[in-house]
């Protein structure tokens, strides 16, 4: 007695074409959202604007601005502080970029198993990254 396991889904069967079309549509939407993120920038600022870091929506560092007169280039402590401020400003900008990515990709990832797990959309589907998701 063999029975199609997909009969339980109703409608007499499983429409693989519809599933593939839906997957292709989701992939297209993910690619569009990722492109918008790559074109978006956010700023992280510390010390009242002494250091500002610009990061793309995908977390790529694209610029650093240091306000003139805030640091003594010949003072080791000032340079150490400057380095710490650049890191802090980057972290601020990266957190904003991550939140932006969560907003842009979250609704799309919600339909994929593991979409809310680290690793991004489709995190629970082995090999999905190879398909461009």
């Amino acid at each position: 007695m063999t029975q199609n396991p997909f009969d339980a889904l109703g409608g007499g069967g499983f429409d693989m074409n519809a599933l593939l079309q839906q997957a292709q549509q989701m992939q297209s939407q993910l690619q569009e959202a990722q492109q918008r993120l790559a074109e978006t920038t956010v700023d992280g600022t510390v010390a009242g604007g002494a250091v500002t870091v610009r990061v793309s929506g995908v977390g790529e560092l694209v610029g650093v601005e240091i306000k003139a007169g805030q640091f003594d280039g010949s003072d080791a402590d000032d340079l150490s502080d400057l380095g710490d401020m650049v890191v802090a400003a980057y972290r601020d900008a990266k957190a904003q970029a991550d939140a932006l990515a969560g907003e842009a990709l979250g609704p799309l990832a919600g339909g994929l198993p593991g979409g809310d797990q680290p690793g991004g959309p489709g995190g629970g589907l082995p090999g999905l990254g190879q398909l461009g998701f």
Side-chain angles (χ1 to χ4, degrees), residues 101-119:
E103 290 173 17
L105 300 175
L108 298 171
L112 296 172
D116 59 346
Q117 296 176 4

Side-chain angles (χ1 to χ4, degrees), residues 13-14 24 26 31-32 40 43 46 56 67 72 75 99 112 127:
F14 182 73
Q24 288 172 343
M26 286 181 68
Q31 288 173 337
E32 289 172 13
T40 301
D43 291 343
V46 294
S56 73
K67 192 181 284 186
D72 179 359
D75 183 330
L112 296 172

